[in-house]
Amino acid sequence: MTTLTLTPGAVTLDDLATIYWTEASVRLDSICHPDIERAHERIAKAVAGTDAVYGVNTGFGKLASVKIESKDTTALQRNLILSHCCGVGPAISRRHARLLMALKLLSLGRGASGVRLAVVTLIEDMLAKGVTPVIPAQGSVGASGDLAPLAHMAAAMMGHGEAEFDGQVMSGEKALAAAGLTPVVLGPKEGLALINGTQFSTAFALAGLFGAWRAAHSALVTSAMSTDAIMGSTAPLQPEIHTLRGHIGQIQAGATMRALLDGSEIRESHVVDDARVQDPYCIRCQPQVTGAAMDVLRMAARTLEIEANAATDNPLVLIEADVIVSGGNFHAEPVGFAADMIALAIAEIGAIAQRRVALIVDPVLSFNLPPFLTPNPGLNSGYMIAEVTTAALMSENKHLANPCVTDSTPTSANQEDHVSMAAHGARRLGAMNENLARILGVELLCAAQGIDFRAPLATSAALQKVVTRVRQEVETMGEDRYLAPDLERAAVMITSGDIVTAADIDMPELSQ
């Protein structure tokens, strides 16, 4: 298993994507250890003192005014974790949980949380040995940290709750023991440091971002295929058009589509004397729409890259100033905004793709393709209802794209009176990406079928590689058949990036 060494404050989107897609283990660069230890020493000093320090020798939230005796600080942290294990719903995936743990390491590694180095080492060892806390998906409002889900992570570290090890779910205590690890007994401030923070929301937002970016790449491929299938014009891809506007996503989307369509015999066959003056917007404006979505994803990516490297618990130990200060870095508003932006991009990539599917199956608009792409329409329905399915998924994503960050509600006896709702704002992105993959999967099948109908004219070399890859999984549609498995296989080719790999051309990078 790959182990990445991460320097808190300098981790990149590529690093985070590697952690997510490959479930790589991580360790913090030892350069951050001295600051971690200095912050812990400052917490120890506060415990020995008489001044009230939030979460160190006081209660939490609305109970912050309750002073805790120094002899009870360990019990305080234990009670905090166990009482906050109020997550409900299905467990999040191992991939999400491991990314969450890596993000928590990065936050602790900034040297402002006051935990012992042993806490950091335990998270590193759990990642290395495959001990993954079972974390329920629901319960966070993305405000005073992702409290409930992060408490379930911390509980497993203490030997409570549940964890997965070697493919089996067991108690946290048994999972740690099976991996040769010892549960941690939390010291002052350590429980609070573990559950304060935005790591659950950020992990899901990053996962949604990475899935959406893969989908955007796939959409460039399927949209180029659709353009050739309906004998659309490539004139709107002329580079000067996009340079004159100046948006980088649009420029890159246009250039990628030009490369995908380069050398198409289908295109060359109707360059001259085509009675159509302009194609519908879903063909003509593809760079403007998908490119804009790419730009939005990049804006969200920049926010999430910053957040992944941030110290987001409370209070924070400011080493140079030698103070412990209560603040609000646990509030996930930036993550909530980023998640809403990603949702909009996902919805719009799917919306224009659905219109391309509708175009291809419509004989009035598809430039002489047979109705619903079946060679024997009437007796056969072809891709008629597959298009209806894309309409259903598109509509569902439109509803899911409504903003979450504006839906604040007071919690904790009005102490936490404005919350970000970033957790479920980010969590919905997984379902939206699944819907988008199925929309693009149907477009992939329809476009490949349309290209097949243009024979003996051939599409471009790049797109022919994609069609060949599709035909390894799904046969050309002749007589009607049970279609659901075909749609799922096509969706997998989208989510895996398979068709992008098959096209074998350079794609725009997420980091700019």
Side-chain angles (χ1 to χ4, degrees):
M1 181 183 289
T2 302
T3 300
L4 298 180
T5 299
L6 305 180
T7 303
V11 170
T12 67
L13 287 170
D14 287 342
D15 295 328
L16 297 166
T18 297
I19 295 167
Y20 177 68
W21 291 121
T22 70
E23 298 186 28
S25 296
V26 301
R27 288 197 175 274
L28 295 184
D29 191 325
S30 60
I31 196 172
C32 69
H33 290 181
D35 282 350
I36 293 173
E37 292 175 328
R38 287 174 65 193
H40 170 63
E41 291 169 2
R42 184 64 182 83
I43 291 294
K45 179 180 175 183
V47 173
T50 57
D51 292 342
V53 179
Y54 175 72
V56 175
N57 53 16
T58 74
F60 307 102
K62 197 72 170 181
L63 302 175
S65 59
V66 179
K67 189 76 162 51
I68 306 298
E69 298 293 332
S70 59
K71 65 181 178 64
D72 293 326
T73 54
T74 297
L76 176 70
Q77 299 301 312
R78 175 186 177 278
N79 293 345
L80 172 70
I81 298 303
L82 298 183
S83 68
H84 282 55
C85 285
C86 294
V88 297
I92 68 175
S93 75
R94 186 177 64 196
R95 180 177 289 169
H96 286 88
R98 289 179 64 86
L99 179 57
L100 175 155
M101 294 168 74
L103 292 172
K104 178 53 73 175
L105 276 176
L106 287 174
S107 182
L108 298 178
R110 293 301 299 269
S113 299
V115 302
R116 289 166 296 159
L117 200 54
V119 175
V120 169
T121 301
L122 179 57
I123 299 176
E124 293 173 335
D125 290 344
M126 289 171 71
L127 287 168
K129 297 191 176 186
V131 178
T132 308
V134 174
I135 301 174
Q138 296 167 281
S140 173
V141 294
S144 187
D146 290 314
L147 296 173
L150 290 174
H152 284 273
M153 178 200 73
M157 295 172 63
M158 297 163 59
H160 294 279
E162 292 184 321
E164 178 195 334
F165 179 72
D166 199 21
Q168 301 294 319
V169 173
M170 58 193 78
S171 71
E173 182 180 22
K174 289 182 178 178
L176 291 171
L181 300 175
T182 303
V184 68
V185 177
L186 296 176
K189 180 35 174 77
E190 290 179 337
L192 188 59
L194 288 172
I195 69 172
N196 252 195
T198 66
Q199 287 74 41
F200 179 91
S201 298
T202 304
F204 273 86
L206 283 167
L209 171 71
F210 299 145
W213 192 255
R214 275 195 177 181
H217 282 177
S218 293
L220 293 175
V221 176
T222 59
S223 61
M225 292 174 68
S226 293
T227 299
D228 233 15
I230 63 106
M231 288 189 156
S233 174
T234 56
L237 301 178
Q238 198 162 323
E240 293 85 350
I241 293 174
H242 309 296
T243 302
L244 281 167
R245 198 174 199 187
H247 294 298
I248 186 65
Q250 178 180 328
I251 291 168
Q252 291 178 334
T256 302
M257 291 185 66
R258 285 197 308 277
L260 286 164
L261 285 158
D262 184 45
S264 169
E265 291 180 2
I266 297 173
R267 172 56 184 145
E268 293 303 316
S269 71
H270 63 98
V271 170
V272 179
D273 295 329
D274 192 329
R276 298 169 297 172
V277 176
Q278 293 181 330
D279 293 316
Y281 286 2
C282 68
I283 298 295
R284 194 181 353 145
C285 299
Q286 291 169 97
Q288 287 81 358
V289 176
T290 304
M294 289 163 55
D295 284 339
V296 166
L297 291 174
R298 283 183 173 132
M299 286 187 278
R302 180 57 184 147
T303 295
L304 295 176
E305 185 178 57
I306 293 170
E307 188 72 7
N309 283 281
T312 58
D313 63 293
N314 178 62
L316 292 174
V317 182
L318 308 183
I319 297 173
E320 298 305 324
D322 192 29
V323 293
I324 302 171
V325 181
S326 287
N329 280 5
F330 49 68
H331 200 297
E333 193 82 354
V335 183
F337 275 122
D340 283 350
M341 292 164 67
I342 295 166
L344 290 172
I346 293 170
E348 281 298 274
I349 293 170
I352 194 168
Q354 198 283 326
R355 297 318 304 153
R356 293 192 297 266
V357 173
L359 183 73
I360 296 172
V361 301
D362 186 344
V364 175
L365 300 173
S366 66
F367 204 56
N368 301 320
L369 290 175
F372 305 109
L373 300 170
T374 175
N376 191 6
L379 178 63
N380 294 284
S381 296
Y383 285 103
M384 178 189 294
I385 304 305
E387 185 269 328
V388 174
T389 296
T390 65
L393 296 173
M394 174 188 69
S395 182
E396 185 174 314
N397 269 3
K398 287 179 179 179
H399 288 287
L400 288 170
N402 281 305
C404 293
V405 78
T406 56
D407 189 31
S408 177
T409 187
T411 61
S412 193
N414 279 307
Q415 176 74 2
E416 297 152 12
D417 58 356
H418 182 279
V419 300
S420 71
M421 296 300 180
H424 70 261
R427 195 164 54 83
R428 68 177 157 166
L429 300 177
M432 293 186 70
N433 274 326
E434 289 179 5
N435 289 343
L436 176 56
R438 291 186 170 100
I439 293 170
L440 294 174
V442 171
E443 183 184 15
L444 176 67
L445 297 182
C446 289
Q449 184 89 350
I451 288 171
D452 286 346
F453 275 119
R454 299 301 181 187
L457 295 173
T459 189
S460 68
L463 294 183
Q464 185 54 54
K465 292 176 183 177
V466 178
V467 174
T468 299
R469 179 68 188 93
V470 171
R471 292 297 171 234
Q472 291 173 352
E473 301 290 334
V474 179
E475 295 180 2
T476 302
M477 171 77 78
E479 297 298 309
D480 281 351
R481 62 174 182 254
Y482 188 64
L483 270 180
D486 292 352
L487 304 191
E488 286 306 305
R489 281 191 284 269
V492 169
M493 285 191 280
I494 298 295
T495 56
S496 66
D498 216 2
I499 65 166
V500 176
T501 301
D504 193 26
I505 69 162
D506 292 334
M507 285 284 176
E509 298 288 338
L510 179 56
S511 298
Q512 285 292 313

